[in-house]
Each structure stands twice: as C-alpha cells, then as structure tokens.
Amino acid sequence: MTKPLVGLIVGLANSDSIAFGCAQALKALGAELAITYQSDKAKPFVAPLAKELDAALFMPLDVRQPAELAALFGAIGAQWGRLDFVLHSIAFAPKADLQGRYLDSSAEGFCTAMDISCHSLVRLAKAAEPLMAEGGSILTMSYYGAEKVIANYNLMGPVKAALEASVRYLASELGPANIRVNALSPGPVATRAASGLAHFDALMAKAAARAPLHQQVSIAQIGEAAAFLLSDKSRHITGQVIFVDNGYSALG
C-alpha cells in the first residue's frame, strides 16, 4: 500500500492565503500536513484552518528564530520519520522600503526582506534535506516582478529575482538526492501580504484585463498547480519557475 504524502506548509496566515489554497489541494490528494503559524498574534487566525485541514502538527515558526526551526523539524522527524514536501509561501518587506522607491530602500529593509522572503527558503531546504532520504519536493512562490518591472512592486522585485536564482541553485545541489526545487509565479491575488503594495487593486484589474484568459487567478487554481509540483506526478520537473497567471506573462 502506498504511503500518503507528508509535508510542511509554511506561510498560512488566513483563509485568503495562497498557502491555504495549496494546503486544501494537497489535503484533497490525501496528504498529511504540518502547519505553522508565524506568531502568537497569528495563531488564532491559523488554528481553525489547521483544524479544518486535520493537521498532524501545528507549531510556531518565525523563520528568523533558529530554535523554532529546529523544534519544528524535530517534531516532524518524530511524527513521520520523513518528509515528502515543503511549501514555502512567505514574503515580507518593511512598509517604508516596500512603498518607497527601490533607489531609496534602506540597507536594513533590504536585508530584512531578503532574509525572510529568500534565505528562509535555503534554511528550510537545509532542515528538510535529512528527512528527504528517499527524495522530495520543495516549492516556493515568486511573482512576475522578478523578471519585469511592475509598478509599485519596488523592493520585492530584486528579492524575488534572488529567490528564483536560489531555486535553480538549490535544485542543482539537491538533485543528486532526488529532491526537486521549483517556484510557482501566480498572477496577483488579494492576500494579506499583497495588501502592503500600493494600488494593488489596480494591478489585479490590469492583469485580469490583459491576460489572454481575461480573469484573475484564484488560490484554489494556484493550489492545484502546487499539488502537482509537490507530488510524484512532476518527478522530472526541477529548477523551474512556472507561471499560473492566465497567460499574462506570455505577453511580455
């Protein structure tokens, strides 16, 4: 009998989170999930969703806290003895640096955004590697602003570009262990993280109007793509950035 997939979801903040759409799709495939919450303040919003998903583990994880990362992966090892997938769906930049010109971004703000939004993927991958002795899949979330200048995306554009480069380098280094690393690049979605971008509603409307399919992408549709990339059905795909944006990025 085939064992169910077991995996970690990082970045679930509320029911509008991309991570929640991904978790729902993975649960529909029969996966067992470990869910994290960022802080005590966030816990009441995430706890009902973890219960709905019947999470096997529900633990705190501030990716800036090494002790919390170690405790989480220790618990995963004790619970399952292995890990099949990791979903990394977190991004943050200080508001002043995000909403100002990239030219005016502070060194501190840049480093904070890079650490939380990009290098945290590296730390998660390193912690997951020993539990993926039989292979696994790691997935993160990017955005088209990594490739092209998007109005008001500002600081996050270079940060997401670094994230996409990290995907390729991690895929190369972890490939011999049969661990795949990819990124999804969804179209704009109304999440809490996106609310920090200036004029985001206009960005969503423009993307929907211009995209060949003339619609906005949903967290459920993003989740379906994520479930594919985190399952064995995509076992020959690694080091890729795959767009789920109704074709917007194809227009250049």
Side-chain angles (χ1 to χ4, degrees):
M1 184 175 179
T2 304
K3 295 179 181 178
L5 291 173
V6 296
L8 171 63
I9 306 289
V10 179
L12 203 168
N14 55 42
S15 60
D16 294 324
S17 298
I18 287 174
F20 185 54
C22 296
Q24 287 178 307
L26 288 158
K27 186 66 178 177
L29 291 181
E32 296 180 16
L33 304 175
I35 305 289
T36 68
Y37 57 93
Q38 194 267 334
S39 64
D40 288 341
K41 183 178 179 180
K43 185 177 181 179
F45 299 97
V46 185
L49 304 178
K51 183 176 181 181
E52 178 182 332
L53 294 163
D54 194 26
L57 289 171
F58 180 57
M59 295 183 65
L61 179 63
D62 180 336
V63 292
R64 297 167 295 181
Q65 302 298 327
E68 290 190 2
L69 187 69
L72 172 65
F73 278 87
I76 290 171
Q79 177 75 22
W80 294 315
R82 74 182 210 278
L83 193 60
D84 296 317
F85 64 82
V86 173
L87 175 72
H88 171 274
S89 184
I90 55 176
F92 174 80
K95 189 173 183 178
D97 295 283
L98 180 62
Q99 296 193 346
R101 299 189 305 170
Y102 179 56
L103 185 67
D104 298 324
S105 62
S106 67
E108 181 181 3
F110 179 88
C111 290
T112 296
M114 191 68 75
D115 181 56
I116 294 175
S117 309
C118 179
H119 195 263
S120 62
L121 173 67
V122 181
R123 299 194 292 273
L124 283 170
K126 184 174 182 178
E129 183 182 15
L131 292 170
M132 292 183 168
E134 297 180 6
S137 181
I138 299 171
L139 182 67
T140 189
M141 295 291 161
S142 190
Y143 180 60
Y144 189 44
E147 291 188 15
K148 302 292 184 179
V149 175
I150 301 295
N152 302 308
Y153 201 56
N154 305 340
L155 174 60
M156 287 307 298
V159 171
K160 289 294 190 181
L163 180 68
E164 292 186 2
S166 295
V167 164
R168 292 186 284 272
Y169 277 85
L170 290 171
S172 175
E173 292 179 357
L174 293 172
N178 197 31
I179 298 172
R180 299 177 294 107
V181 187
N182 292 290
L184 278 182
S185 187
V189 182
T191 64
R192 189 179 71 177
S195 67
L197 299 172
H199 309 296
F200 187 72
D201 289 344
L203 178 64
M204 286 198 303
K206 178 183 177 182
R210 189 165 184 262
L213 295 181
H214 298 296
Q215 55 186 283
Q216 293 177 353
V217 70
S218 70
I219 62 169
Q221 291 159 351
I222 298 167
E224 290 168 353
F228 166 71
L229 287 171
L230 291 171
S231 74
D232 288 342
K233 293 185 181 298
S234 63
R235 59 187 173 272
H236 298 297
I237 300 174
T238 194
Q240 304 302 309
V241 179
I242 296 176
F243 288 94
V244 186
D245 63 354
N246 292 308
Y248 181 87
S249 57
L251 302 182

